Each structure stands twice: as structure tokens, then as C-alpha cells.
Amino acid sequence: MSKRAEGKKLAILATNGFEQIELTSPKDAIQNAGGQAFIVSPENGRIQGNNHRDLGDYFDVDTSLDDAKAEDYDALLIPGGLFSPDALRTNQAALDFTSAFFEQKKPVFAICHGPQVLISANLVNGRHVTSIESVQQDLKNAGAKVTDSPVVVDKGLVTSRKPDDLSQFNDKIVEEICEGKHDGQRQSVAA
């Protein structure tokens, strides 16, 4: 087992209604590579995942969003699901937390509906991205250059479409977190 991500810390921004496999699979990939993953949430205690439209398991929140600081982590993951990204995109603390990773030139990973948070934080204008089909038009409207590919990498921003793409997404997560800061990662200017 490779430990190439040893010492790296991944923040996973989620709240109730995240797509469970889109949190657990990348978390396992980072941990299997020797890194650590921490769930950051506006909720305290536990949050519940979803398995598509069915309720999933409960997961302990490691850090309250109110107490989380981007400088304490090496990268950020925003899992998808129908409900978590929708709640996070209207939470100013979540948008500020996400924006801080861009300002600090750290890798950011978003899958499925996760890019909705990036849209609301004005972080996709001019960026190459992908997402689940139902979010692709929203990304285009926000100025993103959308490709319907399993994974799209744009200078430290890594996006993916759906659970079927997790193997490729996880490989890129480990690769990008190991590479560290990306000078091309920046906060986009809203159109």
C-alpha cells in the first residue's frame, strides 16, 4: 500500500443528504494512500448520507464549519447528492470556506451536484469542469467550459460526473493532493 499522501489532510465539506459513495470512496482513497480525511459540516454531531434517493448511513462530523479553517487542510472535497450541495450553496460560511482553498491555491474536488457550491461561490467562470448532466447547463450559465467527461482537471480544480466515475476521480484526487498547491488555481471573477 502506497503512503504517498502521508501527512496530507483532506477536508470533506458535506451536510445531510450527500451521496454516500461520493464521500466514502474518495475518503478511503486518501486514507489508503496514507492521508487523512475530515468531515467538515455546518451540522454538529452526525450527518446522514443518501444512497441515491434512499437514506444512508450516519457519519460523525470531525469539525464544525464554524471552526474550520482552509489553512488546516491540503485540499477540499465537495461530494454530490441532491440535498447537501443545495444546502451548502446557500450557506455563506460554506462558500467562504470553499473560496479560501482557491485563494490559497489548494486543490478542490467536486463531483456530481457538488459543483453547485462552486457556482454559488463564483468560482467556475472560465474554468474547465464537468458534473452530472442536470448541473451542466448551470455551470455553462456561470461561465464554465463544460465537458461531458468522467473527470476534468483544470489547474488544481478536479470535477467529476457521477459514482460510475469514482475510480478515475479518486486517482486524480490522490495525484493532485500529493502535488500540493497549484499556481493556476485561483478565485474566478464572476461574469
Side-chain angles (χ1 to χ4, degrees), residues 126-172:
R127 301 302 292 266
H128 294 272
V129 297
T130 194
S131 71
I132 194 158
E133 187 177 355
S134 62
V135 177
Q136 289 180 7
Q137 188 61 51
D138 295 335
L139 285 163
K140 289 175 186 174
N141 291 345
K145 300 169 186 172
V146 179
T147 305
D148 188 25
S149 299
V151 176
V152 173
V153 181
D154 182 353
K155 302 177 184 118
L157 174 60
V158 180
T159 51
S160 191
R161 298 178 304 186
K162 56 191 173 185
D164 291 347
D165 302 328
L166 277 166
S167 177
Q168 294 173 67
F169 186 54
N170 291 343
D171 288 346
K172 281 297 178 187

Side-chain angles (χ1 to χ4, degrees), residues 12-24 39 47-52 54 56-59 79-85:
I12 303 172
L13 181 59
T15 191
N16 291 305
F18 61 90
E19 185 64 35
Q20 185 165 312
I21 192 72
E22 293 172 0
L23 183 149
T24 58
I39 297 174
I47 55 175
Q48 187 173 23
N50 275 28
N51 294 311
H52 300 291
D54 297 326
D57 298 324
Y58 284 94
F59 293 82
L82 290 174
F83 306 108
S84 178

Side-chain angles (χ1 to χ4, degrees), residues 13 24 31 45 52 64 67 96 102 108 112 119 123 126 142 160 166 175 182 187:
L13 181 59
T24 58
Q31 291 173 333
H52 300 291
S64 164
D67 297 329
D96 292 344
F102 283 79
V108 174
C112 194
I119 292 168
L123 297 168
S160 191
L166 277 166
E175 178 183 324
H182 291 69
Q187 188 167 344

Side-chain angles (χ1 to χ4, degrees), residues 53-149:
R53 297 192 187 276
D54 297 326
L55 293 177
D57 298 324
Y58 284 94
F59 293 82
D60 291 332
V61 172
D62 296 299
T63 305
S64 164
L65 181 59
D66 291 336
D67 297 329
K69 296 179 181 85
E71 55 264 21
D72 294 337
Y73 304 96
D74 298 291
L76 173 67
L77 167 67
I78 306 170
L82 290 174
F83 306 108
S84 178
D86 196 50
L88 293 172
R89 72 184 306 186
T90 60
N91 181 314
Q92 191 60 51
L95 301 180
D96 292 344
F97 184 65
T98 301
S99 295
F101 283 86
F102 283 79
E103 292 162 7
Q104 295 173 27
K105 302 179 180 180
K106 294 179 179 179
V108 174
F109 317 114
I111 184 169
C112 194
H113 289 81
Q116 290 177 317
V117 176
L118 304 177
I119 292 168
S120 293
N122 296 316
L123 297 168
V124 298
N125 186 33
R127 301 302 292 266
H128 294 272
V129 297
T130 194
S131 71
I132 194 158
E133 187 177 355
S134 62
V135 177
Q136 289 180 7
Q137 188 61 51
D138 295 335
L139 285 163
K140 289 175 186 174
N141 291 345
K145 300 169 186 172
V146 179
T147 305
D148 188 25
S149 299

